[in-house]
Amino acid sequence: MKILQRYELASGQVLNKEKSSLFFSTNTGAVEKSSILKGAGGVVCGNYDKYLGLPAMVGKSKYNTFRSVKERVWQKMESWKNKFLSQAGNEVLIKAVLQAIPSYIMSVFKLPRNLCYELNMLCSRFWWGYKDDARKVHWWNWEKMGIQKSRGGMGFRDLESFNSAMLAK
């Protein structure tokens, strides 16, 4: 903790204790925890569910960790369900909103393959039209819809490939 105090003196910056929290692993003993908390000036441990909208910790099931992304996409779709939109309007909503929702998370984490597949299927259902009890005919498969417009497709993203590209950046 002396290093922290020296840094504060040298830089003139001070630790904001209201915005800071400490995370301890399960292997850290109670004595070490209390001494670190005492040395840091009583920084209180907070909630570690999310940080900047991203999960702070990914558990054993990555699907359950990132399931909230699918739920957010579904909520957007449900809010537009009763609207009378043209196919061009549907295209804009899919590209600008539905496929943009997971982009920030995809730039940091590799989403599970089945979650990407389910997100693609939600976009496909929205494109072709859907109702709770009725299934609509999908005239093209989603892979063909992902081809560039200049080559005869619609230019929709394949989210699994997009995730890999975002991580490669």
Side-chain angles (χ1 to χ4, degrees):
M1 290 303 122
K2 292 181 181 182
I3 295 171
L4 182 64
Q5 291 169 349
R6 277 187 258 152
Y7 174 77
E8 290 175 356
L9 292 175
S11 69
Q13 296 180 350
V14 180
L15 179 68
N16 186 344
K17 294 174 182 155
E18 293 176 7
K19 295 181 180 179
S20 302
S21 60
L22 298 172
F23 175 77
F24 296 102
S25 74
T26 56
N27 297 335
T28 308
V31 175
E32 289 87 9
K33 286 181 188 179
S34 63
S35 67
I36 292 172
L37 284 171
K38 184 179 176 183
V43 176
V44 179
C45 296
N47 187 2
Y48 300 110
D49 290 341
K50 293 196 178 229
Y51 178 71
L52 297 176
L54 297 173
M57 296 180 61
V58 178
K60 291 181 181 179
S61 175
K62 287 177 74 175
Y63 181 86
N64 288 333
T65 302
F66 298 112
R67 189 178 56 218
S68 63
V69 175
K70 180 182 169 188
E71 292 167 1
R72 284 179 32 212
V73 169
W74 178 253
Q75 288 172 352
K76 285 289 184 186
M77 283 177 47
E78 284 295 308
S79 67
W80 301 327
K81 182 168 89 171
N82 295 328
K83 307 284 190 258
F84 296 103
L85 299 171
S86 65
Q87 285 296 98
N90 285 343
E91 178 184 355
V92 169
L93 287 174
I94 290 172
K95 289 180 179 177
V97 180
L98 295 182
Q99 292 185 334
I101 288 173
S103 61
Y104 176 60
I105 292 175
M106 287 180 163
S107 66
V108 180
F109 295 104
K110 175 81 171 145
L111 296 183
R113 179 175 284 159
N114 57 345
L115 182 63
C116 291
Y117 175 78
E118 289 174 6
L119 289 170
N120 283 335
M121 290 304 101
L122 286 175
C123 292
S124 175
R125 282 189 208 137
F126 182 74
W127 173 256
W128 293 113
Y130 68 98
K131 292 192 178 185
D132 295 331
D133 55 350
R135 293 182 61 172
K136 300 281 186 159
V137 176
H138 294 207
W139 295 103
W140 283 0
N141 65 9
W142 192 250
E143 288 78 26
K144 190 170 183 180
M145 302 277 288
I147 297 172
Q148 296 175 352
K149 282 189 168 184
S150 61
R151 296 184 179 173
M154 290 299 299
F156 294 125
R157 292 181 183 145
D158 173 44
L159 292 178
E160 187 176 356
S161 302
F162 182 68
N163 192 185
S164 299
M166 291 293 286
L167 290 174
K169 250 180 154 176

